[in-house]
Each structure stands twice: as C-alpha cells, then as structure tokens.
Amino acid sequence: MSVAVDVARDGVRVPLAAERVREIVRAVCKKEKVPEALISVTFVTDRISAKMNRDFLGHSGATDVITFELAPTVGAVVGDIYIAVDIARENARMHRVGVREELVRLVVHGTLHVLGHSHAEDEERTTGDMWRKQERLVAALA
C-alpha cells in the first residue's frame, strides 16, 4: 500500500502533529481498502476557508472542511483537504469535545470525501452511512 500524505499548516497553529494527520489518512485508506492514494491536508484560516467556499462552492462564509476529489492518476486516488482550524475549535466547543478529536473528525471526514463518499446536506447529514462510518473511524482513531 502506498498512501502519500502531504500536510501543510499555511501559518496556522494546529494542535495535531503532521505525522498524526498522516497516520489518520492512511488508516482511513486502509479501512476503505484504498491501496494507492496521494492526498494533501492543508490547515487554513477562516478567511481562506471563506474565500475558497465562495470561489469554488458558491457559498458564503467559512466552513470547517472543504475537499476536492481530483482525477485519479495511474489508479491512485488523488485529493486535497482544507481544514479551518478556528471553525474546528468552535465545533469542538459546541459539541463539547476536545479540539484534537474534532480535528481527527475533520481529517476523517475529508478523507472519506476524497475516497468518493458523500452525505446529505440537510439534517440527515448526521444520520447517514457516511456519518456513521466517520464516527466509527473517529472512535477508533481519536
């Protein structure tokens, strides 16, 4: 299995080590039986998240995670994940979980999207197959 993971912090303080992020992405790929992947995870500011959300998705405001599943190369899954750390902190407070756990959740969530999983955008978002899979992975990895 060859899963290459690039981690960038884009000037943002992240309470999760780059190697831990790589371990999480590789664990999700292994669980999902994806032998070849090239995935980047970039931690960004709310301002960058809001700009990307507007420019690429047509939505206003910052969001916690934005994922791009790119065209596969030579059979490998390829994608980019962008995580807004301050939004992750807000999510953690709101859901009464630790910031590290929430960051693990967002890395798992983004990786599942890169691997082709999707979810509803309404209240069913937190009851669907992807959410249940995500939460099982978070419980095992957090």
Side-chain angles (χ1 to χ4, degrees):
M1 181 165 118
S2 176
V3 176
V5 183
D6 181 61
V7 179
R9 295 176 185 277
D10 202 27
V12 178
R13 288 188 56 186
V14 182
L16 200 60
E19 187 53 38
R20 182 70 180 119
V21 173
R22 289 184 195 95
E23 290 170 1
I24 294 163
V25 172
R26 289 181 182 127
V28 173
C29 288
K30 183 176 182 178
K31 184 73 172 169
E32 292 297 300
K33 297 176 176 47
V34 173
E36 302 288 327
L38 176 57
I39 298 173
S40 72
V41 180
T42 303
F43 295 95
V44 297
T45 63
D46 288 4
R47 189 173 66 80
I48 297 296
S49 173
K51 182 173 178 8
M52 292 178 74
N53 203 19
R54 181 186 65 243
D55 292 351
F56 297 109
L57 302 175
H59 302 146
S60 64
T63 187
D64 52 4
V65 60
I66 296 175
T67 306
F68 298 100
E69 180 184 355
L70 307 174
T73 60
V74 194
V77 171
V78 181
D80 296 329
I81 302 166
Y82 296 88
I83 297 172
V85 178
D86 286 340
I87 300 291
R89 284 186 180 98
E90 290 173 19
N91 289 350
R93 276 192 297 275
M94 184 172 56
H95 298 295
R96 296 189 169 129
V97 299
V99 175
R100 285 185 185 93
E101 178 182 331
E102 186 62 17
L103 288 169
V104 169
R105 179 170 287 103
L106 294 176
V107 172
V108 168
H109 186 90
T111 304
L112 288 172
H113 274 309
V114 167
L115 300 182
H117 294 277
S118 61
H119 55 74
E121 291 299 325
D122 55 18
E123 60 276 349
E124 291 181 23
R125 178 180 185 171
T126 59
T127 61
D129 291 340
M130 182 177 162
W131 184 266
R132 287 191 305 274
K133 182 177 293 218
Q134 167 191 296
E135 291 306 299
R136 283 192 302 272
L137 286 162
V138 169
L141 294 168

